[in-house]
Amino acid sequence: MGGSTGTLLFADLSTQTGTADPRGSMGIGVAELGYMTDQDDGLPDLFITHWLAQENALYQSLSRKGLGLEYRDKIQNLRLGELSIQSVGWGTAIADFDLDGHADILVTNGSTLEKRDDKKFLIAEHPFLFWNDGKSFHEVRAQAGQEFDALYSGRGLAVADFDLDGDLDVAINVNRGAPLLYRNDSESSHHAISVRLEAPAALCKGAKIILRCQDRQQLRWWITESSYLSGHAPEQIFGLGAATVAEEITVVWTNGESSTVQHVPAGLVTIAPNAAE
């Protein structure tokens, strides 16, 4: 909030909002996941990776009239907590890897504990790939290819469409090892729109992007995700499923102004602050 002198002030509301949680907090993913629990409030939900025996967290944002903002950890409701008990989570991303219109979750894991039989090496771990069917998440690493079945000491993780084929690929930073670059070769008839913002960084960073397609809306925030030693590509890729056109895309810039484009076909679209309303 602003003071009388116009100075920007910050207040620590972690206790009031339910996020005063002393866990590892290495990776963070930001997206609106409320449609799964009928709480589509337009506020960012948070997926956070933690250390051994701490479970990862998925904080659902709730806007209570007269009570302000509240976050509730829904990790147990979505049955994701138990899987992470024995793992140390680092980089993560909330992204639509199969372009079906529902955001999935990817996590790279790697223990900080040494192997019992060789103290020169840390315990390697599998990554997690949680597929979202629109109602809940399912761990599908075993179906994602032999690379995802490998063990390694993961740390950083970033997603980008590096081969420009419309879907998201993955880069993983490995502790004391070569980096990994996984190309997404999933066979699918789904379509996607890649949104690129063309404006000064002060207007873009944190801007809300709202895509409406077939009576649903998807929300993203521009470059608000970052994890341990990593950051994702700036383009925001929205899966359309079988649709080939989004009815509308609106960008709410950080100064409060908005730009809207309509009838956007699958592919790349660049939106600037002077986009036609």
mmCIF file of all heavy atoms in Angstrom, residues 21-48:
data_model
loop_
_atom_site.group_PDB
_atom_site.id
_atom_site.type_symbol
_atom_site.label_atom_id
_atom_site.label_comp_id
_atom_site.label_asym_id
_atom_site.label_seq_id
_atom_site.Cartn_x
_atom_site.Cartn_y
_atom_site.Cartn_z
ATOM 1 N N ASP A 21 4.996 -20.842 6.382
ATOM 2 C CA ASP A 21 5.251 -22.284 6.387
ATOM 3 C C ASP A 21 6.752 -22.528 6.269
ATOM 4 O O ASP A 21 7.331 -22.354 5.196
ATOM 5 C CB ASP A 21 4.510 -22.902 5.191
ATOM 6 C CG ASP A 21 4.515 -24.415 5.233
ATOM 7 O OD1 ASP A 21 5.262 -24.988 6.031
ATOM 8 O OD2 ASP A 21 3.768 -25.019 4.444
ATOM 9 N N PRO A 22 7.442 -22.904 7.347
ATOM 10 C CA PRO A 22 8.908 -23.033 7.336
ATOM 11 C C PRO A 22 9.381 -24.334 6.695
ATOM 12 O O PRO A 22 9.813 -25.266 7.366
ATOM 13 C CB PRO A 22 9.270 -22.964 8.820
ATOM 14 C CG PRO A 22 8.089 -23.571 9.513
ATOM 15 C CD PRO A 22 6.883 -23.165 8.697
ATOM 16 N N ARG A 23 9.283 -24.397 5.355
ATOM 17 C CA ARG A 23 9.809 -25.556 4.631
ATOM 18 C C ARG A 23 10.866 -25.101 3.638
ATOM 19 O O ARG A 23 11.235 -23.931 3.604
ATOM 20 C CB ARG A 23 8.664 -26.295 3.930
ATOM 21 C CG ARG A 23 7.773 -27.068 4.896
ATOM 22 C CD ARG A 23 6.765 -27.940 4.166
ATOM 23 N NE ARG A 23 5.556 -27.207 3.815
ATOM 24 C CZ ARG A 23 4.560 -27.732 3.114
ATOM 25 N NH1 ARG A 23 4.630 -28.979 2.683
ATOM 26 N NH2 ARG A 23 3.481 -27.015 2.833
ATOM 27 N N GLY A 24 11.364 -25.999 2.814
ATOM 28 C CA GLY A 24 12.527 -25.730 1.970
ATOM 29 C C GLY A 24 12.325 -24.658 0.915
ATOM 30 O O GLY A 24 13.180 -23.800 0.722
ATOM 31 N N SER A 25 11.218 -24.743 0.181
ATOM 32 C CA SER A 25 10.839 -23.719 -0.808
ATOM 33 C C SER A 25 11.924 -23.444 -1.841
ATOM 34 O O SER A 25 12.419 -22.333 -1.954
ATOM 35 C CB SER A 25 10.463 -22.413 -0.086
ATOM 36 O OG SER A 25 9.441 -22.631 0.848
ATOM 37 N N MET A 26 12.257 -24.447 -2.664
ATOM 38 C CA MET A 26 13.269 -24.239 -3.702
ATOM 39 C C MET A 26 12.665 -23.797 -5.030
ATOM 40 O O MET A 26 13.162 -22.888 -5.678
ATOM 41 C CB MET A 26 14.079 -25.522 -3.922
ATOM 42 C CG MET A 26 15.193 -25.716 -2.904
ATOM 43 S SD MET A 26 14.601 -26.438 -1.366
ATOM 44 C CE MET A 26 14.543 -28.155 -1.788
ATOM 45 N N GLY A 27 11.600 -24.452 -5.476
ATOM 46 C CA GLY A 27 11.003 -24.127 -6.764
ATOM 47 C C GLY A 27 9.607 -23.584 -6.592
ATOM 48 O O GLY A 27 8.918 -23.884 -5.607
ATOM 49 N N ILE A 28 9.169 -22.762 -7.569
ATOM 50 C CA ILE A 28 7.814 -22.223 -7.505
ATOM 51 C C ILE A 28 7.205 -22.184 -8.897
ATOM 52 O O ILE A 28 7.869 -21.819 -9.873
ATOM 53 C CB ILE A 28 7.790 -20.820 -6.861
ATOM 54 C CG1 ILE A 28 6.349 -20.317 -6.738
ATOM 55 C CG2 ILE A 28 8.649 -19.830 -7.637
ATOM 56 C CD1 ILE A 28 6.203 -19.081 -5.891
ATOM 57 N N GLY A 29 5.951 -22.603 -8.989
ATOM 58 C CA GLY A 29 5.156 -22.483 -10.201
ATOM 59 C C GLY A 29 3.944 -21.627 -9.908
ATOM 60 O O GLY A 29 3.356 -21.716 -8.824
ATOM 61 N N VAL A 30 3.568 -20.775 -10.862
ATOM 62 C CA VAL A 30 2.475 -19.827 -10.667
ATOM 63 C C VAL A 30 1.450 -20.009 -11.779
ATOM 64 O O VAL A 30 1.791 -19.962 -12.964
ATOM 65 C CB VAL A 30 2.985 -18.373 -10.674
ATOM 66 C CG1 VAL A 30 1.824 -17.401 -10.455
ATOM 67 C CG2 VAL A 30 4.063 -18.170 -9.620
ATOM 68 N N ALA A 31 0.192 -20.215 -11.415
ATOM 69 C CA ALA A 31 -0.888 -20.347 -12.403
ATOM 70 C C ALA A 31 -2.215 -20.282 -11.671
ATOM 71 O O ALA A 31 -2.268 -20.385 -10.441
ATOM 72 C CB ALA A 31 -0.774 -21.650 -13.187
ATOM 73 N N GLU A 32 -3.283 -20.104 -12.427
ATOM 74 C CA GLU A 32 -4.636 -20.191 -11.872
ATOM 75 C C GLU A 32 -5.126 -21.611 -12.064
ATOM 76 O O GLU A 32 -5.360 -22.063 -13.183
ATOM 77 C CB GLU A 32 -5.559 -19.188 -12.570
ATOM 78 C CG GLU A 32 -7.050 -19.429 -12.350
ATOM 79 C CD GLU A 32 -7.490 -19.275 -10.904
ATOM 80 O OE1 GLU A 32 -7.304 -20.242 -10.148
ATOM 81 O OE2 GLU A 32 -8.026 -18.219 -10.555
ATOM 82 N N LEU A 33 -5.247 -22.354 -10.959
ATOM 83 C CA LEU A 33 -5.699 -23.747 -11.007
ATOM 84 C C LEU A 33 -7.048 -23.904 -10.334
ATOM 85 O O LEU A 33 -7.489 -25.019 -10.086
ATOM 86 C CB LEU A 33 -4.673 -24.659 -10.320
ATOM 87 C CG LEU A 33 -3.282 -24.681 -10.951
ATOM 88 C CD1 LEU A 33 -2.325 -25.487 -10.085
ATOM 89 C CD2 LEU A 33 -3.333 -25.272 -12.346
ATOM 90 N N GLY A 34 -7.730 -22.817 -10.041
ATOM 91 C CA GLY A 34 -8.945 -22.856 -9.246
ATOM 92 C C GLY A 34 -10.104 -23.564 -9.893
ATOM 93 O O GLY A 34 -11.027 -23.993 -9.205
ATOM 94 N N TYR A 35 -10.093 -23.711 -11.233
ATOM 95 C CA TYR A 35 -11.244 -24.331 -11.886
ATOM 96 C C TYR A 35 -11.454 -25.768 -11.429
ATOM 97 O O TYR A 35 -12.535 -26.309 -11.549
ATOM 98 C CB TYR A 35 -11.089 -24.289 -13.411
ATOM 99 C CG TYR A 35 -9.869 -24.994 -13.936
ATOM 100 C CD1 TYR A 35 -9.893 -26.358 -14.181
ATOM 101 C CD2 TYR A 35 -8.702 -24.296 -14.192
ATOM 102 C CE1 TYR A 35 -8.776 -27.014 -14.664
ATOM 103 C CE2 TYR A 35 -7.589 -24.944 -14.680
ATOM 104 C CZ TYR A 35 -7.620 -26.298 -14.915
ATOM 105 O OH TYR A 35 -6.511 -26.939 -15.384
ATOM 106 N N MET A 36 -10.407 -26.399 -10.879
ATOM 107 C CA MET A 36 -10.556 -27.778 -10.421
ATOM 108 C C MET A 36 -11.362 -27.866 -9.125
ATOM 109 O O MET A 36 -11.890 -28.912 -8.793
ATOM 110 C CB MET A 36 -9.181 -28.411 -10.220
ATOM 111 C CG MET A 36 -8.428 -28.629 -11.519
ATOM 112 S SD MET A 36 -6.909 -29.525 -11.250
ATOM 113 C CE MET A 36 -6.025 -28.381 -10.221
ATOM 114 N N THR A 37 -11.438 -26.755 -8.401
ATOM 115 C CA THR A 37 -12.149 -26.781 -7.129
ATOM 116 C C THR A 37 -13.221 -25.691 -7.069
ATOM 117 O O THR A 37 -13.603 -25.250 -5.995
ATOM 118 C CB THR A 37 -11.150 -26.589 -5.969
ATOM 119 O OG1 THR A 37 -10.314 -25.456 -6.260
ATOM 120 C CG2 THR A 37 -10.296 -27.816 -5.768
ATOM 121 N N ASP A 38 -13.676 -25.263 -8.251
ATOM 122 C CA ASP A 38 -14.744 -24.268 -8.336
ATOM 123 C C ASP A 38 -14.373 -22.965 -7.633
ATOM 124 O O ASP A 38 -15.214 -22.298 -7.042
ATOM 125 C CB ASP A 38 -16.057 -24.810 -7.740
ATOM 126 C CG ASP A 38 -16.571 -26.017 -8.515
ATOM 127 O OD1 ASP A 38 -16.417 -26.031 -9.745
ATOM 128 O OD2 ASP A 38 -17.098 -26.934 -7.876
ATOM 129 N N GLN A 39 -13.101 -22.612 -7.672
ATOM 130 C CA GLN A 39 -12.659 -21.358 -7.060
ATOM 131 C C GLN A 39 -11.839 -20.564 -8.081
ATOM 132 O O GLN A 39 -10.734 -20.137 -7.837
ATOM 133 C CB GLN A 39 -11.806 -21.653 -5.805
ATOM 134 C CG GLN A 39 -12.577 -22.242 -4.650
ATOM 135 C CD GLN A 39 -13.499 -21.237 -4.013
ATOM 136 O OE1 GLN A 39 -13.316 -20.039 -4.162
ATOM 137 N NE2 GLN A 39 -14.516 -21.705 -3.314
ATOM 138 N N ASP A 40 -12.403 -20.355 -9.266
ATOM 139 C CA ASP A 40 -11.732 -19.606 -10.316
ATOM 140 C C ASP A 40 -11.862 -18.122 -9.999
ATOM 141 O O ASP A 40 -12.763 -17.439 -10.460
ATOM 142 C CB ASP A 40 -12.363 -19.928 -11.674
ATOM 143 C CG ASP A 40 -11.543 -19.389 -12.826
ATOM 144 O OD1 ASP A 40 -10.569 -18.666 -12.553
ATOM 145 O OD2 ASP A 40 -11.870 -19.689 -13.981
ATOM 146 N N ASP A 41 -10.939 -17.612 -9.153
ATOM 147 C CA ASP A 41 -11.048 -16.241 -8.659
ATOM 148 C C ASP A 41 -10.116 -15.285 -9.393
ATOM 149 O O ASP A 41 -10.047 -14.104 -9.057
ATOM 150 C CB ASP A 41 -10.769 -16.194 -7.154
ATOM 151 C CG ASP A 41 -9.453 -16.870 -6.772
ATOM 152 O OD1 ASP A 41 -8.629 -17.129 -7.672
ATOM 153 O OD2 ASP A 41 -9.248 -17.135 -5.578
ATOM 154 N N GLY A 42 -9.377 -15.777 -10.377
ATOM 155 C CA GLY A 42 -8.485 -14.916 -11.125
ATOM 156 C C GLY A 42 -7.212 -14.566 -10.395
ATOM 157 O O GLY A 42 -6.438 -13.713 -10.844
ATOM 158 N N LEU A 43 -6.945 -15.223 -9.278
ATOM 159 C CA LEU A 43 -5.733 -14.981 -8.494
ATOM 160 C C LEU A 43 -4.752 -16.126 -8.693
ATOM 161 O O LEU A 43 -5.154 -17.270 -8.929
ATOM 162 C CB LEU A 43 -6.083 -14.852 -7.006
ATOM 163 C CG LEU A 43 -6.997 -13.692 -6.630
ATOM 164 C CD1 LEU A 43 -7.406 -13.803 -5.166
ATOM 165 C CD2 LEU A 43 -6.317 -12.358 -6.894
ATOM 166 N N PRO A 44 -3.452 -15.863 -8.588
ATOM 167 C CA PRO A 44 -2.462 -16.924 -8.820
ATOM 168 C C PRO A 44 -2.436 -17.945 -7.698
ATOM 169 O O PRO A 44 -2.437 -17.605 -6.512
ATOM 170 C CB PRO A 44 -1.138 -16.149 -8.896
ATOM 171 C CG PRO A 44 -1.379 -14.885 -8.145
ATOM 172 C CD PRO A 44 -2.824 -14.549 -8.366
ATOM 173 N N ASP A 45 -2.435 -19.221 -8.088
ATOM 174 C CA ASP A 45 -2.177 -20.317 -7.162
ATOM 175 C C ASP A 45 -0.690 -20.661 -7.243
ATOM 176 O O ASP A 45 -0.026 -20.383 -8.246
ATOM 177 C CB ASP A 45 -3.035 -21.526 -7.519
ATOM 178 C CG ASP A 45 -4.519 -21.172 -7.561
ATOM 179 O OD1 ASP A 45 -4.993 -20.531 -6.616
ATOM 180 O OD2 ASP A 45 -5.181 -21.536 -8.544
ATOM 181 N N LEU A 46 -0.164 -21.291 -6.196
ATOM 182 C CA LEU A 46 1.283 -21.502 -6.090
ATOM 183 C C LEU A 46 1.603 -22.971 -5.855
ATOM 184 O O LEU A 46 1.064 -23.592 -4.937
ATOM 185 C CB LEU A 46 1.856 -20.681 -4.926
ATOM 186 C CG LEU A 46 1.489 -19.197 -4.866
ATOM 187 C CD1 LEU A 46 2.019 -18.579 -3.582
ATOM 188 C CD2 LEU A 46 2.018 -18.460 -6.083
ATOM 189 N N PHE A 47 2.495 -23.537 -6.687
ATOM 190 C CA PHE A 47 3.037 -24.864 -6.428
ATOM 191 C C PHE A 47 4.488 -24.678 -5.998
ATOM 192 O O PHE A 47 5.279 -24.041 -6.708
ATOM 193 C CB PHE A 47 2.980 -25.738 -7.679
ATOM 194 C CG PHE A 47 3.559 -27.117 -7.469
ATOM 195 C CD1 PHE A 47 2.808 -28.107 -6.862
ATOM 196 C CD2 PHE A 47 4.852 -27.405 -7.863
ATOM 197 C CE1 PHE A 47 3.336 -29.366 -6.647
ATOM 198 C CE2 PHE A 47 5.397 -28.672 -7.654
ATOM 199 C CZ PHE A 47 4.629 -29.653 -7.048
ATOM 200 N N ILE A 48 4.845 -25.217 -4.823
ATOM 201 C CA ILE A 48 6.174 -24.987 -4.250
ATOM 202 C C ILE A 48 6.818 -26.323 -3.898
ATOM 203 O O ILE A 48 6.203 -27.175 -3.251
ATOM 204 C CB ILE A 48 6.089 -24.094 -2.998
ATOM 205 C CG1 ILE A 48 5.446 -22.741 -3.360
ATOM 206 C CG2 ILE A 48 7.465 -23.872 -2.396
ATOM 207 C CD1 ILE A 48 5.248 -21.828 -2.175
#
